[in-house]
Amino acid sequence: MFPDHPTSPPITVSVVSHGHDAWLPPLLQDLASVSSGLLCRVVVTHNLPASPLAVGGLSFEVIEIHNPRPLGFGANHNQAFAHVASPFFCVLNPDMRLTDPALWPQLLAAASLPGVGAVTATLLNADGSVQDNQRALVTPWALFRRRVLRRPERGGDWYSAALLLMPSSAYRAVGGFDERFHMYCEDVDFCLRLQLAGLRLTRVPGTAQHHAQRDSLRRWHALGWHVHSLLRLWCSVAFWRYWLQQRVLRGQR
C-alpha cells in the first residue's frame, strides 16, 4: 500500500489563502478528520492580511506564513516547500471540503509507486458534478474547442494544482513551480516538466469537493494574468519539447 510511518507521518500540505479566512478552520478540521494520520504538517500562507488562525487539537503541526506583500501561486508554494522535511508534498486550494476517508491513503499509495511524479483525485463541484481537473495540452486550438465550440476535453497532459500530491524528490528535481507564472498555467508548465523528466501523472478515484472561483471569467486583472501566462507558456521550452515529444509518440503508434 504505502510506506510505514512509525515515527513521522509522510505528507506536508501547503495551502495559500487569498482572504479565505472562513474556509481555513473547516479545511483544517477536514484534514484532521480524514487524513488517516498521514499528515505531519500544514503550511498556511496568508497572501493577504489576516488574523492568526485559532485552531487547536489537530493531529498535525500548523505553520502560518504572513506575506508582507502578495506573491504569485508558484512563489507561495515554493516558499512553503522550504518547510518540507517529509517525503511527500501536497499543494491544496483553500476552497476545498474533504470528507472522503479513502482519499489520502489512495493518494499516498499512488504517489509511492516508482516513476510517479504527481497524483490528483476526482474533484467535484458544489453540486456534485465532476470537475475537469485533468486536461489536454493547452494550445490555441484546444482553447477554441473548449471555449467556443464547447466540446469536452480528453487527455491527461496536465492536472489542476487545486489538489496535487507529489514525492518531495520529484518537486525538488524539477525546481518546483516556475515563479515567472504569477497566476495560471503554472500547473500546466509544472506537469509538462515532470513528464519531460520521465515521471508520470496519475489519478485516484478518491474525491474532494472544490468550490472553484473561476476569477479569470469575472475579473479583468485575473483575465490579464491568464492571457499573460498563456503567452509565456506558449513561448516556453517545456511546452514545445512536450508538444514535439507527443507528436513523435503518436507517429510511432
Side-chain angles (χ1 to χ4, degrees), residues 131-242:
Q131 283 188 11
D132 53 350
N133 63 313
Q134 178 177 333
R135 305 265 189 90
L137 183 63
V138 182
T139 64
W141 172 238
L143 283 178
F144 180 79
R145 285 172 54 89
R146 176 180 169 82
R147 296 294 188 188
V148 179
L149 302 181
R150 302 293 181 182
R151 294 181 182 175
E153 284 187 298
R154 292 182 177 85
D157 295 304
W158 64 280
Y159 293 159
S160 161
L163 191 165
L164 207 59
L165 177 71
M166 54 226 112
S168 299
S169 58
Y171 191 89
R172 190 177 296 110
V174 300
F177 290 105
D178 187 338
E179 297 181 13
R180 293 175 297 177
F181 294 92
H182 179 78
M183 195 71 69
Y184 307 110
C185 293
E186 55 276 287
D187 44 8
V188 186
D189 169 77
F190 179 75
C191 288
L192 299 187
R193 288 187 288 115
L194 281 176
Q195 292 170 92
L196 289 169
L199 299 169
R200 68 181 187 276
L201 311 179
T202 189
R203 179 174 175 169
V204 298
T207 62
Q209 190 177 81
H210 180 212
H211 295 253
Q213 301 300 303
R214 309 297 188 192
D215 278 348
S216 64
L217 302 180
R218 296 197 303 267
R219 297 194 299 181
W220 284 109
H221 72 273
L223 179 60
W225 287 336
H226 208 155
V227 171
H228 182 269
S229 292
L230 282 169
L231 294 175
R232 179 173 292 281
L233 177 70
W234 291 335
C235 292
S236 70
V237 173
F239 176 87
W240 289 106
R241 281 185 61 203
Y242 184 86

Side-chain angles (χ1 to χ4, degrees), residues 82-124:
H83 296 274
V84 173
S86 57
F88 296 91
F89 178 55
C90 181
V91 171
L92 184 67
N93 272 19
D95 49 356
M96 289 281 204
R97 292 309 309 267
L98 306 167
T99 58
D100 183 357
L103 176 63
W104 292 97
Q106 287 179 4
L107 288 171
L108 185 56
S112 301
L113 295 174
V116 170
V119 184
T120 192
T122 300
L123 301 188
L124 305 177

Side-chain angles (χ1 to χ4, degrees), residues 10 14 26 42-43 48 58 61 64 67 76 78 90 92 99 115 119 133 152 169 178 196 198 221 242 250:
S14 172
V42 175
V43 182
L48 296 175
L58 301 174
E61 177 186 17
E64 292 185 77
N67 286 341
N76 276 312
N78 288 347
C90 181
L92 184 67
T99 58
V119 184
N133 63 313
S169 58
D178 187 338
L196 289 169
H221 72 273
Y242 184 86
R250 284 195 296 268

